[in-house]
């Protein structure tokens, strides 16, 4: 894959899609650099990795209202931990997705006279799940019936010591919906195994599935709706990590 022009990034935070409000997004992963240099080092420092961290920043154009705008989604939620965050460089199913659970800890609003009103939101990882790299299984779209949704994707096997992770974002809710994450040895899903269950869900929001410990030898994954009443707008991703 060649150099990518970032023109259609997707930014899902809980039950809100910041994509249409933002023109900047970044996800940063870091490991604390710890100096462990001792005598006899030969004149060179020695270092090891310490605690890991993940942060994300979203910036764009401010708007307000009772719901469905950056201000009501950002300001009342400041300081709340473990919001489900999924960021991808484009909207396509199969795109790389970065997932973590974070808190909205810093929000900035307003700017100079004569400019479009800006906003920025800083989020930081808020639990030990950390940052997971995976793929988008279901792009944002409307779902109102049972059956497989999105695109079956080959994420690879989950080795011993690794875990399977998945996120689901509901942006608008009907009455109730249940979605499962399935795996199989190939893309036919002739002998699919349910690995995680989302729901029943009745309101908009983000759900971080309970992680599944390896080993899992299946390499293909998909999302499937097992029960639905009403129309839902949702998106989801999954990945394998430590």
């Amino acid at each position: 894959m060649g150099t990518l022009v970032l023109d259609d990034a997707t930014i899902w935070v809980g039950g809100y899609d910041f994509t249409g409000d933002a023109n900047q997004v970044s996800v940063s992963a870091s490991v604390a650099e710890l100096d462990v240099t001792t005598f006899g080092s030969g004149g060179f420092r020695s270092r090891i990795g310490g605690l890991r961290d993940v942060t994300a920043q979203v910036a764009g154009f401010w708007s307000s209202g009772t719901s469905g705008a950056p201000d009501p989604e950002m300001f009342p939620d400041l300081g709340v931990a473990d919001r489900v965050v999924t960021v991808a460089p484009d909207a396509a199913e199969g795109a790389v997705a970065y997932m973590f659970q974070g808190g909205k800890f810093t929000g900035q609003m307003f700017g100079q006279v004569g400019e479009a009103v800006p906003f920025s939101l800083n989020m930081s990882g808020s639990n030990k799940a950390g940052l997971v790299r995976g793929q988008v299984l279901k792009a944002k779209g409307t779902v109102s019936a049972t059956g497989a949704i999105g695109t079956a994707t080959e994420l690879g096997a989950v080795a011993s010591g690794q875990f399977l992770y998945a996120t689901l974002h509901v942006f608008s809710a009907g009455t109730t919906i249940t979605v499962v994450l399935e795996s199989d040895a190939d893309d036919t899903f002739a002998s699919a195994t349910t690995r995680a269950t989302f729901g029943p869900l009745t309101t908009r929001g983000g759900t971080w599935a309970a992680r599944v410990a390896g080993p899992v030898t299946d390499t293909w994954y998909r999302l499937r709706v097992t029960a639905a009443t009403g129309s839902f707008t949702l998106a989801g991703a999954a990945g394998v990590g430590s």
Side-chain angles (χ1 to χ4, degrees):
M1 184 176 182
T3 303
L4 178 70
V5 176
L6 195 62
D7 63 357
D8 202 16
T10 56
I11 310 155
W12 305 323
V13 181
Y16 188 67
D17 183 1
F18 277 93
T19 302
D21 304 304
N23 63 359
Q24 297 180 52
V25 62
S26 63
V27 177
S28 299
S30 63
V31 180
E33 181 183 298
L34 305 180
D35 192 317
V36 293
T37 308
T38 63
F39 296 119
S41 67
F44 287 89
R45 292 189 178 277
S46 298
R47 296 179 177 86
I48 60 171
L51 295 176
R52 298 176 181 270
D53 197 10
V54 54
T55 60
Q57 183 183 58
V58 179
F61 302 106
W62 181 91
S63 62
S64 190
T66 56
S67 64
D71 185 55
E73 295 296 331
M74 177 176 68
F75 187 78
D77 218 23
L78 287 176
V80 178
D82 293 354
R83 293 304 191 211
V84 179
V85 181
T86 305
V87 178
D90 63 60
E93 291 165 358
V96 172
Y98 293 92
M99 304 167 280
F100 70 96
Q101 290 175 279
K104 302 174 184 177
F105 292 116
T106 305
Q108 293 183 319
M109 298 151 282
F110 311 142
Q112 295 183 357
V113 63
E115 293 185 345
V117 179
F119 84 93
S120 65
L121 173 64
N122 293 338
M123 297 172 286
S124 299
S126 54
N127 66 37
K128 64 182 181 181
L131 181 65
V132 179
R133 182 182 183 275
Q135 291 178 255
V136 175
L137 300 188
K138 173 68 177 77
K140 182 182 179 182
T142 302
V143 175
S144 58
T146 59
I149 57 174
T151 302
T153 302
E154 190 170 20
L155 296 176
V158 184
S160 179
Q162 290 186 312
F163 297 89
L164 174 66
Y165 297 87
T167 63
L168 189 75
H169 298 265
V170 175
F171 305 108
S172 66
T175 303
T176 182
I177 194 169
T178 300
V179 181
V180 297
L181 174 68
E182 296 181 326
S183 71
D184 208 338
D186 57 46
D187 59 357
T188 65
F189 286 85
S191 55
T193 300
T194 296
R195 300 296 177 180
T197 300
F198 300 94
L201 303 173
T202 58
T203 60
R204 73 184 187 94
T207 303
W208 184 277
R211 67 181 188 176
V212 179
V216 176
T217 57
D218 289 345
T219 58
W220 284 85
Y221 296 85
R222 73 178 182 185
L223 294 170
R224 183 169 65 86
V225 176
T226 59
T229 303
S231 180
F232 286 74
T233 303
L234 52 77
V240 177
S242 57

